[in-house]
Amino acid sequence: MKKIKSKYELFRQKTQIILYGSNTFLGRLFDLVLLGLILLSVLLVMLDTVEGINQKYHYYLIICEWIITVFFTIEFILRIISIKKPLTYIFSFYGIIDLMAILPMYLSIFFPATNVLTIVRILRFFRLFKILHIPQISQQSLQLREAMQASKEKILVFIYFVLISAVIIGSLMYVVEGKESGFTSIPVGIYWAIVTLTTVGYGDISPASPLGQFLASLVMIMGYGIIAVPTGIVTAEFAKSSLRNNAVSTKKTCQNCNAQVHFDSAKYCHECGAELTNN
């Protein structure tokens, strides 16, 4: 029993090194093969939707897809059994993506159209950042994540405001234009408001009366401001995150707000804008 257990433990260790150790030769080779198969799988799904190719090679494309799916399934199982805390991997970001990468093909047995959903395997390319080990990329991705988390509440409030605005605008257009111009209900008016606010403008519904066109013009102008707001929120938080990660603690202390973390060459406080002096 001890020999069997030791062999199993040895197998787990070697598997863990290959699957998770991208700094080793075998681990890096496996990751590169994995990325190649992901790219091939996504290409196969795309080709399968081309009518001419689908008619001639559908059978071969499906076989290739199943071979890749079986490979990904074995990899997923090995990742689970090779670590001491499998639930940590299963419920992690990469674990959920890996599961999503294999489920569509198995669902296609019962619902044939779902095999197209294997296109989500492109998300597995996020592993490229882990494989490359480029500090600049890792730092920038961390700063972006911090910026998104910091601006989450502000963006939610902004979306709440946009939804309320869309309901009000859609209701007004329903009253002003009516069924004659295609605004057959308030939900249709809300749909038009959202499409117009986001500057998409499908053109399937458009106001005909002067008052309706005037309101539509205001909504279009408002749309440009709406696009700029979330961008500005995330950019501001990204700049703050970059400052926190790149700043160096110095003897420069702001006499106005007592902030103590600044760039070496900083002349003004990043918190209040007051001039910095060396203490």
Side-chain angles (χ1 to χ4, degrees):
M1 287 293 291
K2 288 184 178 180
K3 287 184 178 181
I4 295 174
K5 187 176 180 180
S6 61
K7 286 183 179 180
Y8 175 71
E9 290 297 328
L10 184 63
F11 169 76
R12 281 185 57 190
Q13 290 175 3
K14 289 183 177 180
T15 304
Q16 186 176 8
I17 291 171
I18 294 173
L19 295 179
Y20 295 97
S22 56
N23 57 337
T24 63
F25 173 75
L26 289 177
R28 200 170 184 81
L29 179 63
F30 176 81
D31 286 334
L32 291 174
V33 171
L34 183 65
L35 290 176
L37 287 175
I38 294 168
L39 182 61
L40 177 61
S41 175
V42 172
L43 181 62
L44 290 173
V45 174
M46 291 180 179
L47 291 175
D48 197 34
T49 59
V50 179
E51 187 175 353
I53 296 175
N54 178 272
Q55 290 176 353
K56 291 183 179 180
Y57 306 107
H58 176 74
Y59 177 75
Y60 301 104
L61 292 173
I62 290 296
I63 289 177
C64 291
E65 269 297 309
W66 272 111
I67 292 173
I68 295 173
T69 300
V70 170
F71 177 86
F72 286 162
T73 304
I74 295 172
E75 178 221 350
F76 184 72
I77 295 170
L78 289 175
R79 285 186 183 275
I80 293 174
I81 65 175
S82 63
I83 55 176
K84 294 181 179 179
K85 296 180 180 179
L87 290 178
T88 304
Y89 162 71
I90 293 173
F91 293 103
S92 67
F93 173 76
Y94 290 107
I96 293 171
I97 287 178
D98 292 346
L99 180 62
M100 289 172 58
I102 60 176
L103 279 180
M105 282 303 293
Y106 292 107
L107 289 174
S108 68
I109 298 174
F110 308 100
F111 309 101
T114 57
N115 71 307
V116 178
L117 297 177
T118 53
I119 198 73
V120 298
R121 288 175 181 172
I122 194 70
L123 293 174
R124 299 198 71 187
F125 262 97
F126 281 119
R127 292 187 182 275
L128 186 65
F129 297 134
K130 295 182 70 177
I131 296 169
L132 292 177
H133 289 300
I134 299 176
Q136 292 87 347
I137 293 178
S138 300
Q139 184 180 0
Q140 292 297 323
S141 62
L142 178 62
Q143 289 177 9
L144 180 59
R145 184 172 63 183
E146 289 179 354
M148 293 298 293
Q149 289 176 346
S151 58
K152 179 174 60 178
E153 290 80 9
K154 296 177 184 176
I155 291 176
L156 286 174
V157 171
F158 171 75
I159 292 174
Y160 178 68
F161 167 77
V162 171
L163 289 175
I164 291 176
S165 301
V167 172
I168 295 173
I169 294 167
S171 301
L172 283 174
M173 293 302 292
Y174 170 72
V175 173
V176 172
E177 291 295 325
K179 298 180 180 179
E180 294 78 10
S181 299
F183 293 84
T184 55
S185 63
I186 290 179
V188 172
I190 294 171
Y191 156 76
W192 173 88
I194 292 173
V195 169
T196 308
L197 277 170
T198 54
T199 68
V200 176
Y202 290 125
D204 52 344
I205 306 172
S206 59
S209 68
L211 180 57
Q213 291 173 351
F214 174 73
L215 289 174
S217 300
L218 293 178
V219 174
M220 292 173 197
I221 294 171
M222 191 190 306
Y224 286 104
I226 284 175
I227 291 172
V229 170
T231 305
I233 292 172
V234 176
T235 302
E237 293 296 339
F238 187 82
K240 289 180 181 179
S241 175
S242 178
L243 181 63
R244 286 194 298 268
N245 288 305
N246 296 324
V248 179
S249 180
T250 69
K251 294 181 179 180
K252 293 180 179 179
T253 302
C254 178
Q255 300 298 322
N256 187 44
C257 67
N258 293 322
Q260 296 180 344
V261 179
H262 300 91
F263 286 111
D264 284 327
S265 58
K267 294 182 180 180
Y268 299 95
C269 176
H270 65 83
E271 292 289 343
C272 66
E275 188 175 359
L276 296 172
T277 56
N278 292 325
N279 297 333

